[in-house]
């Protein structure tokens, strides 16, 4: 395309009420995927996502808190270091609900003149706390398992240890399903990462059964060996969670979403070309900037209407998109016309 599109512009907002042809063209789209284009409605949807996240966190805290309490009592009675590692990890997982809860509450606050994009980024920072909690629990579990390997100790109450392991698996799997489902529905990377963390915790809880079985057969090293295996599993979760949180903090998005947005913009009647398309997450909401090339003979009103239709297309195409800034550009009019972006050239060096 000609011209040099950029994303310096203003956000186009549109109220209910459309031209008849536009309404007819999108009738079935609205029926299959109803939504509102009112900015207030988009904010309400984001707030509802935060409320759903808070309910999930409260559920997680209750279930994992009870699971941890049961395991802690049995770990103290039995002396099982594998169960101790699982208990510490479950406790850390339960407590990660607190920073996430604070982040969801902050995310519900309105934008200010200082925080013009609102407080959605707090949710991503909470993901860092989750990663640090996973790292700390892996360090504690690994240290205790290694110490017990060097200084062997008999494990007692093996039946209770096995029961605690099953309780840990059930509690973690219940929480994992709730967190992952909610996180994917509202677009929260931190909540999905925490759910994956809980799911792995469930399988590491089952590993405690191996330690109990080995101890029952007389292998004293079985319990600390399983503890070390649990530590390794925690480290793998740490790697995946850290990668997910890192990508979110670095404004990474699914490239397929960008491609879909470009195709949607290019399909809007009247759009001659598509410039840069940028997206970023703020918590569990997605924001976009895009540049489109239009006929230079359009009036301001016509160009604005086209920009609104382009934003409309993005809203239909990109899930969890709550705002879009669309910049309108045009190809040069005649060879003698100066480049309208020339005044910005020295800022781009």
């Amino acid at each position: 395309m000609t011209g040099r599109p950029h994303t310096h512009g203003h956000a186009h907002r549109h109220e209910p009420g459309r031209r008849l042809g536009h309404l007819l063209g999108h009738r079935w789209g609205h029926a299959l995927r109803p939504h509102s284009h009112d900015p207030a409605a988009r904010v309400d949807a984001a707030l509802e996502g935060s409320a759903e996240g808070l309910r999930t966190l409260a559920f997680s805290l209750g279930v994992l808190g009870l699971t941890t309490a049961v395991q802690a009592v049995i770990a103290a009675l039995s002396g099982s270091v594998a169960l101790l590692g699982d208990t510490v990890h479950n406790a850390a997982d339960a407590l990660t609900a607190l920073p996430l809860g604070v982040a969801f509450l902050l995310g519900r606050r309105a934008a200010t003149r200082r925080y013009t994009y609102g407080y959605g980024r707090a949710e991503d920072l909470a993901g860092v706390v989750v990663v640090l909690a996973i790292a700390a629990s892996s360090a504690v579990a690994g240290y205790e398992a290694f110490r017990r390997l060097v200084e062997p100790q008999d494990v007692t109450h093996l039946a209770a240890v096995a029961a605690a392991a099953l309780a840990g698996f059930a509690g973690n799997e219940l929480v994992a399903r709730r967190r992952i489902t909610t996180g994917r529905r509202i677009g929260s990377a931190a909540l999905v990462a925490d759910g994956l963390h809980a799911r792995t915790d469930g399988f590491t809880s089952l590993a405690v059964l191996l330690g109990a079985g080995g101890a029952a057969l007389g292998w004293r090293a079985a319990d600390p060996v399983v503890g070390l295996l649990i530590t390794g599993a925690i480290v793998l979760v740490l790697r995946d969670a850290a990668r997910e949180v890192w990508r979110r903090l670095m404004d990474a998005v699914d490239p397929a979403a960008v491609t879909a947005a470009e195709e949607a913009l290019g399909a809007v009647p009247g759009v001659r070309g598509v410039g840069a398309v940028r997206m970023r997450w703020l918590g569990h909401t997605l924001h976009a900037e895009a540049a489109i090339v239009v006929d230079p003979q359009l009036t301001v009103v016509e160009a604005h209407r086209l920009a609104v239709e382009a934003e409309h297309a993005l809203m239909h195409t990109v899930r969890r998109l709550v705002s879009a800034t669309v910049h309108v550009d045009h190809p040069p009019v005649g060879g003698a016309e100066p480049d309208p972006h020339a005044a910005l050239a020295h800022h781009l060096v």
Side-chain angles (χ1 to χ4, degrees):
M1 69 179 178
T2 56
R4 185 177 56 186
H6 57 88
T7 55
H8 176 70
H10 65 282
H12 298 275
R13 296 287 184 259
H14 45 287
E15 303 296 331
R18 295 286 176 186
R19 292 176 295 121
L20 179 59
H22 188 76
L23 283 172
L24 292 175
H26 288 282
R27 175 181 296 174
W28 288 109
H30 282 279
L32 296 174
R33 185 183 172 188
H35 67 285
S36 171
H37 302 291
D38 189 338
R42 298 178 206 163
V43 173
D44 288 343
L47 291 178
E48 176 55 33
S50 296
E52 188 175 358
L54 286 169
R55 289 192 294 270
T56 297
L57 291 174
F59 173 82
S60 302
L61 184 59
V63 172
L64 288 180
L66 179 61
T67 301
T68 299
V70 171
Q71 287 188 316
V73 172
I74 297 176
L77 292 175
S78 65
S80 170
V81 71
L83 183 58
L84 175 63
D86 195 40
T87 302
V88 169
H89 198 195
N90 285 333
D93 197 19
L95 293 177
T96 57
L98 299 180
L100 280 173
V102 172
F104 278 123
L105 287 173
L106 278 176
R108 295 166 66 89
R109 297 178 61 181
T112 65
R113 291 182 65 83
R114 181 178 296 275
Y115 296 98
T116 56
Y117 280 93
Y119 294 82
R121 186 67 77 185
E123 187 178 325
D124 301 325
L125 294 177
V128 176
V129 177
V130 171
V131 169
L132 293 177
I134 299 173
S137 63
S138 66
V140 171
Y143 171 77
E144 289 297 329
F146 181 76
R147 185 177 67 83
R148 189 63 58 83
L149 193 62
V150 176
E151 303 172 4
Q153 177 179 322
D154 291 331
V155 178
T156 60
H157 301 82
L158 294 179
V161 171
L166 292 174
F169 171 76
N172 276 291
E173 181 59 23
L174 190 62
V175 167
R177 292 189 178 189
R178 180 75 175 267
R179 286 178 176 176
I180 293 172
T181 300
T182 300
R184 287 176 176 168
R185 181 161 53 244
I186 69 175
S188 173
L191 196 55
V192 171
D194 219 19
L196 294 173
H197 177 198
R199 171 153 290 165
T200 304
D201 282 355
F203 289 110
T204 56
S205 291
L206 287 181
V208 176
L209 286 173
L210 298 178
L217 295 175
W219 184 28
R220 299 183 69 189
D223 186 65
V225 166
V226 169
L228 290 174
L229 292 175
I230 290 175
T231 301
I234 298 174
V235 170
L236 292 178
V237 174
L238 175 63
R239 181 198 62 184
D240 293 340
R243 180 175 56 195
E244 186 68 24
V245 172
W246 166 259
R247 287 176 176 174
R248 187 58 64 89
L249 288 173
M250 293 299 294
D251 290 330
V253 296
D254 184 357
V258 178
T259 300
E262 292 171 337
E263 292 175 350
L265 290 171
V268 174
V271 173
R272 293 188 171 186
V274 179
V277 175
R278 297 184 177 91
M279 297 181 187
R280 63 168 21 174
W281 287 96
L282 288 176
H284 53 271
T285 61
L286 194 60
H287 303 256
E289 300 174 358
I292 59 175
V293 179
V294 303
D295 187 338
Q297 303 303 322
L298 293 180
T299 66
V300 172
V301 172
E302 292 170 336
H304 180 268
R305 183 170 61 242
L306 192 54
V308 169
E309 293 181 359
E311 182 188 3
H312 190 192
L314 289 177
M315 292 298 174
H316 274 282
T317 303
V318 182
R319 294 185 60 196
R320 293 188 284 272
L321 184 67
V322 298
S323 73
T325 301
V326 179
H327 173 75
V328 176
D329 204 350
H330 63 81
V333 182
E337 185 199 22
D339 182 358
H341 303 98
L344 301 175
H346 67 284
H347 292 288
L348 304 177
V349 177

